[in-house]
Amino acid sequence: MDNDVRELRLASGLSQRELGEVLQVSRQTVNSIETGRYDPSLPLAIAIARHFHRTVEEIFHVDD
């Protein structure tokens, strides 16, 4: 699944560590989400979307 987490994070001026702290996950988890190695749980995807004031569908793009 593709996502826009990295772009949104950089546009907000946050490091992976800072975003991880906000979301209460590790920097490594943020990195894994950004690189597509890990698909977040639904609660985490919702937390990411709320943080960036977007919908889950605007951030995460399901491969067709």
Side-chain angles (χ1 to χ4, degrees):
M1 173 175 11
D2 293 330
N3 68 73
D4 300 329
V5 174
R6 182 174 195 271
E7 292 81 6
L8 292 167
R9 176 180 60 77
L10 291 174
S12 296
L14 295 171
S15 68
Q16 289 179 341
R17 181 187 56 79
E18 291 167 330
L19 181 57
E21 288 174 0
V22 168
L23 299 172
Q24 298 183 332
V25 299
S26 69
R27 181 203 60 78
Q28 292 87 348
T29 297
V30 173
N31 180 271
S32 293
I33 292 169
E34 289 182 354
T35 59
R37 291 190 314 260
Y38 173 72
D39 292 333
S41 65
L42 183 55
L44 181 52
I46 291 169
I48 292 167
R50 286 183 177 163
H51 177 76
F52 291 115
H53 306 287
R54 305 282 170 92
T55 65
V56 171
E57 293 85 1
E58 289 174 312
I59 298 175
F60 297 94
H61 315 285
V62 179
D63 299 333
D64 293 327

Short mmCIF file of all heavy atoms in Angstrom, two decimals:
data_model
loop_
_atom_site.label_atom_id
_atom_site.label_comp_id
_atom_site.label_asym_id
_atom_site.label_seq_id
_atom_site.Cartn_x
_atom_site.Cartn_y
_atom_site.Cartn_z
N MET A 1 0.84 -1.16 0.00
CA MET A 1 0.00 0.00 0.00
C MET A 1 0.90 1.24 0.00
O MET A 1 1.80 1.36 0.83
CB MET A 1 -0.90 -0.04 1.24
CG MET A 1 -1.70 1.20 1.42
SD MET A 1 -2.92 1.24 2.76
CE MET A 1 -2.64 -0.15 3.76
N ASP A 2 0.66 2.13 -0.92
CA ASP A 2 1.41 3.39 -0.97
C ASP A 2 0.81 4.37 0.03
O ASP A 2 -0.36 4.26 0.40
CB ASP A 2 1.33 4.00 -2.36
CG ASP A 2 2.06 3.19 -3.41
OD1 ASP A 2 3.06 2.52 -3.06
OD2 ASP A 2 1.64 3.21 -4.57
N ASN A 3 1.63 5.35 0.46
CA ASN A 3 1.10 6.36 1.37
C ASN A 3 1.88 7.66 1.20
O ASN A 3 2.94 7.70 0.60
CB ASN A 3 1.15 5.86 2.81
CG ASN A 3 2.56 5.71 3.33
OD1 ASN A 3 3.24 6.69 3.60
ND2 ASN A 3 3.02 4.46 3.47
N ASP A 4 1.31 8.72 1.75
CA ASP A 4 1.89 10.06 1.68
C ASP A 4 2.44 10.53 3.03
O ASP A 4 2.61 11.72 3.25
CB ASP A 4 0.83 11.06 1.20
CG ASP A 4 0.29 10.73 -0.17
OD1 ASP A 4 1.04 10.16 -0.99
OD2 ASP A 4 -0.90 11.02 -0.43
N VAL A 5 2.72 9.60 3.92
CA VAL A 5 3.15 9.97 5.27
C VAL A 5 4.45 10.78 5.22
O VAL A 5 4.56 11.82 5.88
CB VAL A 5 3.28 8.73 6.18
CG1 VAL A 5 3.87 9.12 7.54
CG2 VAL A 5 1.93 8.05 6.35
N ARG A 6 5.41 10.33 4.46
CA ARG A 6 6.70 11.04 4.41
C ARG A 6 6.52 12.48 3.93
O ARG A 6 7.06 13.42 4.53
CB ARG A 6 7.68 10.30 3.50
CG ARG A 6 9.06 10.95 3.46
CD ARG A 6 10.06 10.11 2.65
NE ARG A 6 11.41 10.52 2.89
CZ ARG A 6 12.04 11.47 2.18
NH1 ARG A 6 11.41 12.08 1.21
NH2 ARG A 6 13.28 11.79 2.47
N GLU A 7 5.76 12.65 2.86
CA GLU A 7 5.54 13.98 2.30
C GLU A 7 4.84 14.89 3.31
O GLU A 7 5.20 16.06 3.48
CB GLU A 7 4.74 13.90 1.00
CG GLU A 7 5.49 13.24 -0.14
CD GLU A 7 5.48 11.71 -0.10
OE1 GLU A 7 4.78 11.11 0.76
OE2 GLU A 7 6.17 11.10 -0.93
N LEU A 8 3.82 14.35 3.98
CA LEU A 8 3.09 15.14 4.97
C LEU A 8 3.97 15.48 6.17
O LEU A 8 3.94 16.60 6.67
CB LEU A 8 1.85 14.37 5.43
CG LEU A 8 0.75 14.22 4.37
CD1 LEU A 8 -0.26 13.18 4.81
CD2 LEU A 8 0.09 15.55 4.08
N ARG A 9 4.77 14.52 6.58
CA ARG A 9 5.68 14.75 7.72
C ARG A 9 6.69 15.84 7.39
O ARG A 9 6.90 16.77 8.18
CB ARG A 9 6.41 13.45 8.08
CG ARG A 9 7.43 13.63 9.19
CD ARG A 9 8.15 12.34 9.53
NE ARG A 9 8.89 11.75 8.43
CZ ARG A 9 10.07 12.18 7.98
NH1 ARG A 9 10.65 13.23 8.54
NH2 ARG A 9 10.68 11.57 6.98
N LEU A 10 7.31 15.74 6.21
CA LEU A 10 8.30 16.74 5.82
C LEU A 10 7.68 18.12 5.66
O LEU A 10 8.27 19.13 6.06
CB LEU A 10 8.99 16.30 4.52
CG LEU A 10 9.92 15.08 4.65
CD1 LEU A 10 10.42 14.66 3.27
CD2 LEU A 10 11.06 15.35 5.60
N ALA A 11 6.47 18.17 5.09
CA ALA A 11 5.78 19.45 4.91
C ALA A 11 5.45 20.08 6.27
O ALA A 11 5.36 21.31 6.37
CB ALA A 11 4.51 19.26 4.09
N SER A 12 5.29 19.25 7.28
CA SER A 12 5.00 19.74 8.63
C SER A 12 6.27 20.07 9.41
O SER A 12 6.19 20.54 10.55
CB SER A 12 4.20 18.69 9.41
OG SER A 12 2.95 18.49 8.80
N GLY A 13 7.43 19.76 8.83
CA GLY A 13 8.70 20.05 9.50
C GLY A 13 9.02 19.12 10.65
O GLY A 13 9.76 19.49 11.56
N LEU A 14 8.47 17.91 10.62
CA LEU A 14 8.70 16.94 11.69
C LEU A 14 9.75 15.92 11.29
O LEU A 14 9.80 15.50 10.13
CB LEU A 14 7.40 16.19 12.02
CG LEU A 14 6.25 17.00 12.61
CD1 LEU A 14 5.00 16.14 12.67
CD2 LEU A 14 6.62 17.51 13.98
N SER A 15 10.54 15.48 12.26
CA SER A 15 11.43 14.35 12.04
C SER A 15 10.62 13.07 12.25
O SER A 15 9.50 13.11 12.80
CB SER A 15 12.60 14.39 13.02
OG SER A 15 12.14 14.14 14.34
N GLN A 16 11.18 11.95 11.86
CA GLN A 16 10.51 10.68 12.12
C GLN A 16 10.35 10.47 13.62
O GLN A 16 9.31 9.98 14.08
CB GLN A 16 11.29 9.51 11.50
CG GLN A 16 11.22 9.47 10.00
CD GLN A 16 12.01 8.32 9.40
OE1 GLN A 16 12.90 7.75 10.05
NE2 GLN A 16 11.70 7.99 8.16
N ARG A 17 11.34 10.84 14.37
CA ARG A 17 11.28 10.70 15.84
C ARG A 17 10.15 11.54 16.41
O ARG A 17 9.36 11.06 17.25
CB ARG A 17 12.61 11.11 16.47
CG ARG A 17 12.61 10.98 18.00
CD ARG A 17 13.87 11.55 18.64
NE ARG A 17 14.10 12.95 18.30
CZ ARG A 17 13.46 13.97 18.88
NH1 ARG A 17 12.56 13.76 19.80
NH2 ARG A 17 13.73 15.21 18.54
N GLU A 18 10.03 12.79 15.95
CA GLU A 18 8.98 13.67 16.47
C GLU A 18 7.59 13.15 16.12
O GLU A 18 6.69 13.16 16.97
CB GLU A 18 9.17 15.08 15.92
CG GLU A 18 10.39 15.78 16.47
CD GLU A 18 10.76 17.04 15.72
OE1 GLU A 18 10.50 17.13 14.49
OE2 GLU A 18 11.33 17.94 16.35
N LEU A 19 7.41 12.67 14.90
CA LEU A 19 6.11 12.12 14.53
C LEU A 19 5.82 10.86 15.35
O LEU A 19 4.70 10.66 15.81
CB LEU A 19 6.04 11.81 13.03
CG LEU A 19 4.70 11.24 12.55
CD1 LEU A 19 3.54 12.18 12.87
CD2 LEU A 19 4.76 10.93 11.05
N GLY A 20 6.83 10.04 15.54
CA GLY A 20 6.66 8.85 16.36
C GLY A 20 6.22 9.20 17.78
O GLY A 20 5.36 8.53 18.35
N GLU A 21 6.81 10.24 18.34
CA GLU A 21 6.42 10.66 19.69
C GLU A 21 4.97 11.09 19.73
O GLU A 21 4.23 10.74 20.66
CB GLU A 21 7.34 11.79 20.18
CG GLU A 21 8.73 11.32 20.51
CD GLU A 21 9.68 12.46 20.86
OE1 GLU A 21 9.26 13.64 20.86
OE2 GLU A 21 10.86 12.17 21.14
N VAL A 22 4.53 11.84 18.73
CA VAL A 22 3.14 12.29 18.66
C VAL A 22 2.20 11.08 18.58
O VAL A 22 1.16 11.05 19.24
CB VAL A 22 2.92 13.22 17.45
CG1 VAL A 22 1.45 13.46 17.19
CG2 VAL A 22 3.65 14.54 17.64
N LEU A 23 2.59 10.09 17.79
CA LEU A 23 1.74 8.92 17.55
C LEU A 23 1.96 7.81 18.58
O LEU A 23 1.28 6.80 18.54
CB LEU A 23 2.01 8.38 16.15
CG LEU A 23 1.72 9.33 14.99
CD1 LEU A 23 2.21 8.73 13.69
CD2 LEU A 23 0.25 9.67 14.93
N GLN A 24 2.95 8.00 19.45
CA GLN A 24 3.32 7.02 20.47
C GLN A 24 3.79 5.70 19.85
O GLN A 24 3.40 4.61 20.27
CB GLN A 24 2.17 6.79 21.45
CG GLN A 24 1.81 8.04 22.21
CD GLN A 24 0.72 7.83 23.24
OE1 GLN A 24 -0.13 6.96 23.10
NE2 GLN A 24 0.75 8.64 24.27
N VAL A 25 4.62 5.84 18.80
CA VAL A 25 5.28 4.69 18.18
C VAL A 25 6.75 5.05 18.01
O VAL A 25 7.15 6.20 18.19
CB VAL A 25 4.66 4.31 16.81
CG1 VAL A 25 3.20 3.92 16.96
CG2 VAL A 25 4.82 5.43 15.80
N SER A 26 7.57 4.09 17.65
CA SER A 26 8.99 4.35 17.49
C SER A 26 9.29 5.03 16.15
O SER A 26 8.48 5.00 15.22
CB SER A 26 9.77 3.03 17.56
OG SER A 26 9.48 2.24 16.42
N ARG A 27 10.48 5.62 16.09
CA ARG A 27 10.95 6.20 14.83
C ARG A 27 11.03 5.12 13.77
O ARG A 27 10.72 5.35 12.61
CB ARG A 27 12.34 6.84 15.04
CG ARG A 27 12.88 7.48 13.76
CD ARG A 27 14.39 7.60 13.76
NE ARG A 27 15.10 6.35 13.89
CZ ARG A 27 15.29 5.48 12.89
NH1 ARG A 27 14.80 5.71 11.70
NH2 ARG A 27 15.97 4.36 13.09
N GLN A 28 11.41 3.92 14.17
CA GLN A 28 11.52 2.81 13.23
C GLN A 28 10.16 2.45 12.64
O GLN A 28 10.07 2.10 11.46
CB GLN A 28 12.14 1.59 13.91
CG GLN A 28 13.60 1.77 14.27
CD GLN A 28 13.81 2.42 15.65
OE1 GLN A 28 12.89 2.94 16.27
NE2 GLN A 28 15.05 2.39 16.12
N THR A 29 9.10 2.54 13.44
CA THR A 29 7.76 2.27 12.93
C THR A 29 7.38 3.31 11.89
O THR A 29 6.84 2.98 10.83
CB THR A 29 6.73 2.23 14.07
OG1 THR A 29 7.07 1.16 14.95
CG2 THR A 29 5.32 2.05 13.55
N VAL A 30 7.65 4.57 12.17
CA VAL A 30 7.36 5.63 11.20
C VAL A 30 8.13 5.38 9.91
O VAL A 30 7.57 5.45 8.81
CB VAL A 30 7.70 7.03 11.78
CG1 VAL A 30 7.56 8.11 10.71
CG2 VAL A 30 6.81 7.34 12.98
N ASN A 31 9.41 5.03 10.02
CA ASN A 31 10.22 4.73 8.85
C ASN A 31 9.64 3.57 8.06
O ASN A 31 9.54 3.62 6.83
CB ASN A 31 11.66 4.43 9.26
CG ASN A 31 12.54 4.11 8.09
OD1 ASN A 31 12.65 2.95 7.69
ND2 ASN A 31 13.16 5.13 7.52
N SER A 32 9.23 2.52 8.75
CA SER A 32 8.67 1.34 8.07
C SER A 32 7.36 1.66 7.36
O SER A 32 7.09 1.14 6.27
CB SER A 32 8.46 0.21 9.07
OG SER A 32 9.70 -0.26 9.55
N ILE A 33 6.55 2.51 7.95
CA ILE A 33 5.31 2.93 7.29
C ILE A 33 5.64 3.75 6.04
O ILE A 33 5.09 3.52 4.97
CB ILE A 33 4.42 3.74 8.26
CG1 ILE A 33 3.88 2.84 9.37
CG2 ILE A 33 3.26 4.40 7.51
CD1 ILE A 33 3.22 3.59 10.52
N GLU A 34 6.55 4.70 6.19
CA GLU A 34 6.91 5.57 5.07
C GLU A 34 7.48 4.79 3.89
O GLU A 34 7.21 5.14 2.73
CB GLU A 34 7.92 6.63 5.51
CG GLU A 34 7.34 7.68 6.42
CD GLU A 34 8.34 8.74 6.82
OE1 GLU A 34 9.54 8.64 6.50
OE2 GLU A 34 7.91 9.70 7.48
N THR A 35 8.25 3.76 4.16
CA THR A 35 8.88 3.00 3.09
C THR A 35 8.02 1.85 2.59
O THR A 35 8.43 1.13 1.67
CB THR A 35 10.25 2.44 3.55
OG1 THR A 35 10.05 1.62 4.70
CG2 THR A 35 11.22 3.57 3.86
N GLY A 36 6.84 1.68 3.18
CA GLY A 36 5.92 0.64 2.71
C GLY A 36 6.24 -0.76 3.21
O GLY A 36 5.64 -1.73 2.74
N ARG A 37 7.16 -0.88 4.17
CA ARG A 37 7.48 -2.20 4.72
C ARG A 37 6.47 -2.63 5.78
O ARG A 37 6.45 -3.79 6.16
CB ARG A 37 8.88 -2.20 5.32
CG ARG A 37 9.98 -2.08 4.29
CD ARG A 37 11.36 -2.32 4.89
NE ARG A 37 11.57 -1.60 6.13
CZ ARG A 37 12.24 -0.45 6.25
NH1 ARG A 37 12.77 0.11 5.20
NH2 ARG A 37 12.39 0.13 7.42
N TYR A 38 5.67 -1.68 6.27
CA TYR A 38 4.71 -1.98 7.32
C TYR A 38 3.44 -1.19 7.05
O TYR A 38 3.49 0.03 6.85
CB TYR A 38 5.30 -1.58 8.68
CG TYR A 38 4.34 -1.67 9.84
CD1 TYR A 38 3.94 -2.91 10.33
CD2 TYR A 38 3.84 -0.53 10.46
CE1 TYR A 38 3.05 -3.00 11.40
CE2 TYR A 38 2.96 -0.61 11.53
CZ TYR A 38 2.58 -1.85 11.99
OH TYR A 38 1.71 -1.93 13.04
N ASP A 39 2.31 -1.88 7.04
CA ASP A 39 1.00 -1.22 6.95
C ASP A 39 0.48 -1.02 8.36
O ASP A 39 0.37 -1.99 9.13
CB ASP A 39 0.02 -2.07 6.14
CG ASP A 39 0.38 -2.16 4.67
OD1 ASP A 39 1.04 -1.22 4.16
OD2 ASP A 39 0.02 -3.16 4.03
N PRO A 40 0.16 0.21 8.72
CA PRO A 40 -0.25 0.46 10.10
C PRO A 40 -1.60 -0.17 10.40
O PRO A 40 -2.41 -0.40 9.51
CB PRO A 40 -0.35 1.99 10.16
CG PRO A 40 -0.63 2.40 8.76
CD PRO A 40 0.13 1.42 7.91
N SER A 41 -1.82 -0.43 11.69
CA SER A 41 -3.14 -0.89 12.13
C SER A 41 -4.15 0.21 11.85
O SER A 41 -3.79 1.38 11.63
CB SER A 41 -3.10 -1.18 13.63
OG SER A 41 -2.86 0.03 14.35
N LEU A 42 -5.41 -0.15 11.86
CA LEU A 42 -6.46 0.85 11.62
C LEU A 42 -6.41 1.98 12.66
O LEU A 42 -6.45 3.16 12.27
CB LEU A 42 -7.83 0.19 11.59
CG LEU A 42 -9.01 1.11 11.27
CD1 LEU A 42 -8.79 1.85 9.96
CD2 LEU A 42 -10.30 0.32 11.25
N PRO A 43 -6.27 1.69 13.96
CA PRO A 43 -6.17 2.80 14.91
C PRO A 43 -4.98 3.73 14.64
O PRO A 43 -5.09 4.95 14.77
CB PRO A 43 -6.03 2.11 16.27
CG PRO A 43 -6.69 0.78 16.07
CD PRO A 43 -6.36 0.39 14.65
N LEU A 44 -3.84 3.16 14.24
CA LEU A 44 -2.67 3.99 13.94
C LEU A 44 -2.90 4.79 12.66
O LEU A 44 -2.55 5.96 12.59
CB LEU A 44 -1.41 3.13 13.83
CG LEU A 44 -0.11 3.87 13.54
CD1 LEU A 44 0.13 5.01 14.52
CD2 LEU A 44 1.06 2.89 13.55
N ALA A 45 -3.49 4.20 11.64
CA ALA A 45 -3.79 4.92 10.40
C ALA A 45 -4.74 6.09 10.68
O ALA A 45 -4.56 7.19 10.14
CB ALA A 45 -4.39 3.98 9.36
N ILE A 46 -5.72 5.87 11.55
CA ILE A 46 -6.65 6.94 11.92
C ILE A 46 -5.92 8.03 12.68
O ILE A 46 -6.13 9.23 12.43
CB ILE A 46 -7.83 6.38 12.72
CG1 ILE A 46 -8.72 5.50 11.81
CG2 ILE A 46 -8.65 7.50 13.37
CD1 ILE A 46 -9.76 4.69 12.54
N ALA A 47 -5.02 7.66 13.58
CA ALA A 47 -4.24 8.66 14.33
C ALA A 47 -3.37 9.50 13.40
O ALA A 47 -3.27 10.72 13.56
CB ALA A 47 -3.38 7.96 15.39
N ILE A 48 -2.77 8.86 12.41
CA ILE A 48 -1.96 9.59 11.42
C ILE A 48 -2.84 10.56 10.65
O ILE A 48 -2.50 11.73 10.47
CB ILE A 48 -1.24 8.60 10.47
CG1 ILE A 48 -0.18 7.81 11.25
CG2 ILE A 48 -0.62 9.33 9.29
CD1 ILE A 48 0.36 6.61 10.49
N ALA A 49 -3.97 10.08 10.19
CA ALA A 49 -4.89 10.93 9.41
C ALA A 49 -5.36 12.12 10.25
O ALA A 49 -5.39 13.26 9.76
CB ALA A 49 -6.07 10.10 8.92
N ARG A 50 -5.73 11.88 11.48
CA ARG A 50 -6.19 12.98 12.34
C ARG A 50 -5.08 13.99 12.59
O ARG A 50 -5.32 15.19 12.59
CB ARG A 50 -6.69 12.43 13.67
CG ARG A 50 -8.04 11.75 13.54
CD ARG A 50 -8.54 11.28 14.88
NE ARG A 50 -9.87 10.69 14.72
CZ ARG A 50 -10.45 9.91 15.61
NH1 ARG A 50 -9.82 9.61 16.74
NH2 ARG A 50 -11.65 9.42 15.39
N HIS A 51 -3.86 13.49 12.78
CA HIS A 51 -2.74 14.41 13.03
C HIS A 51 -2.55 15.36 11.85
O HIS A 51 -2.27 16.55 12.05
CB HIS A 51 -1.45 13.63 13.29
CG HIS A 51 -0.28 14.54 13.48
ND1 HIS A 51 -0.08 15.24 14.65
CD2 HIS A 51 0.73 14.89 12.64
CE1 HIS A 51 1.00 15.98 14.52
NE2 HIS A 51 1.51 15.78 13.31
N PHE A 52 -2.69 14.85 10.63
CA PHE A 52 -2.47 15.67 9.45
C PHE A 52 -3.77 16.27 8.90
O PHE A 52 -3.76 16.87 7.82
CB PHE A 52 -1.77 14.84 8.36
CG PHE A 52 -0.34 14.50 8.72
CD1 PHE A 52 0.04 13.18 8.93
CD2 PHE A 52 0.61 15.49 8.87
CE1 PHE A 52 1.35 12.86 9.25
CE2 PHE A 52 1.92 15.19 9.20
CZ PHE A 52 2.29 13.87 9.39
N HIS A 53 -4.87 16.12 9.64
CA HIS A 53 -6.17 16.69 9.24
C HIS A 53 -6.58 16.22 7.85
O HIS A 53 -7.00 17.02 7.00
CB HIS A 53 -6.14 18.22 9.32
CG HIS A 53 -5.71 18.73 10.65
ND1 HIS A 53 -6.51 18.67 11.77
CD2 HIS A 53 -4.53 19.26 11.07
CE1 HIS A 53 -5.86 19.17 12.80
NE2 HIS A 53 -4.65 19.54 12.41
N ARG A 54 -6.43 14.95 7.63
CA ARG A 54 -6.81 14.30 6.37
C ARG A 54 -7.64 13.07 6.68
O ARG A 54 -7.70 12.62 7.82
CB ARG A 54 -5.57 13.86 5.57
CG ARG A 54 -4.55 14.94 5.29
CD ARG A 54 -5.03 15.82 4.15
NE ARG A 54 -4.20 17.01 4.00
CZ ARG A 54 -3.14 17.09 3.22
NH1 ARG A 54 -2.75 16.05 2.54
NH2 ARG A 54 -2.47 18.22 3.13
N THR A 55 -8.22 12.48 5.64
CA THR A 55 -8.88 11.20 5.83
C THR A 55 -7.86 10.10 5.59
O THR A 55 -6.81 10.32 4.95
CB THR A 55 -10.05 11.00 4.84
OG1 THR A 55 -9.52 10.95 3.51
CG2 THR A 55 -11.08 12.13 4.97
N VAL A 56 -8.15 8.92 6.10
CA VAL A 56 -7.26 7.77 5.88
C VAL A 56 -7.08 7.54 4.39
O VAL A 56 -5.97 7.30 3.91
CB VAL A 56 -7.82 6.51 6.59
CG1 VAL A 56 -7.02 5.28 6.19
CG2 VAL A 56 -7.81 6.69 8.10
N GLU A 57 -8.17 7.67 3.63
CA GLU A 57 -8.11 7.43 2.19
C GLU A 57 -7.25 8.45 1.45
O GLU A 57 -6.72 8.15 0.38
CB GLU A 57 -9.53 7.43 1.59
CG GLU A 57 -10.39 6.28 2.06
CD GLU A 57 -11.09 6.57 3.41
OE1 GLU A 57 -10.92 7.66 3.97
OE2 GLU A 57 -11.78 5.65 3.88
N GLU A 58 -7.13 9.64 1.99
CA GLU A 58 -6.27 10.65 1.36
C GLU A 58 -4.79 10.36 1.57
O GLU A 58 -3.96 10.81 0.77
CB GLU A 58 -6.59 12.05 1.92
CG GLU A 58 -7.91 12.60 1.46
CD GLU A 58 -8.25 13.92 2.13
OE1 GLU A 58 -8.13 14.02 3.38
OE2 GLU A 58 -8.63 14.85 1.40
N ILE A 59 -4.46 9.62 2.60
CA ILE A 59 -3.06 9.34 2.93
C ILE A 59 -2.61 7.98 2.44
O ILE A 59 -1.50 7.84 1.93
CB ILE A 59 -2.84 9.46 4.46
CG1 ILE A 59 -3.14 10.89 4.92
CG2 ILE A 59 -1.41 9.06 4.83
CD1 ILE A 59 -3.08 11.09 6.41
N PHE A 60 -3.46 6.99 2.59
CA PHE A 60 -3.11 5.62 2.24
C PHE A 60 -3.82 5.19 0.96
O PHE A 60 -5.03 5.35 0.84
CB PHE A 60 -3.45 4.66 3.39
CG PHE A 60 -2.66 4.96 4.62
CD1 PHE A 60 -3.18 5.79 5.61
CD2 PHE A 60 -1.37 4.47 4.79
CE1 PHE A 60 -2.44 6.11 6.74
CE2 PHE A 60 -0.63 4.77 5.92
CZ PHE A 60 -1.17 5.59 6.90
N HIS A 61 -3.04 4.67 0.00
CA HIS A 61 -3.56 4.35 -1.33
C HIS A 61 -3.43 2.84 -1.56
O HIS A 61 -2.31 2.34 -1.68
CB HIS A 61 -2.80 5.13 -2.40
CG HIS A 61 -2.62 6.58 -2.02
ND1 HIS A 61 -3.64 7.49 -2.08
CD2 HIS A 61 -1.54 7.24 -1.54
CE1 HIS A 61 -3.19 8.68 -1.68
NE2 HIS A 61 -1.92 8.54 -1.35
N VAL A 62 -4.55 2.17 -1.63
CA VAL A 62 -4.56 0.74 -1.83
C VAL A 62 -4.15 0.43 -3.27
O VAL A 62 -4.63 1.05 -4.21
CB VAL A 62 -5.95 0.14 -1.53
CG1 VAL A 62 -5.96 -1.35 -1.77
CG2 VAL A 62 -6.37 0.47 -0.12
N ASP A 63 -3.25 -0.53 -3.41
CA ASP A 63 -2.82 -0.96 -4.75
C ASP A 63 -3.97 -1.70 -5.41
O ASP A 63 -4.59 -2.57 -4.82
CB ASP A 63 -1.62 -1.90 -4.66
CG ASP A 63 -0.41 -1.23 -4.02
OD1 ASP A 63 -0.31 0.01 -4.12
OD2 ASP A 63 0.41 -1.93 -3.42
N ASP A 64 -4.23 -1.36 -6.66
CA ASP A 64 -5.30 -2.05 -7.41
C ASP A 64 -4.75 -3.18 -8.22
O ASP A 64 -3.65 -3.29 -8.57
CB ASP A 64 -6.01 -1.08 -8.35
CG ASP A 64 -6.80 -0.03 -7.55
OD1 ASP A 64 -7.31 -0.37 -6.46
OD2 ASP A 64 -6.93 1.10 -8.03
#
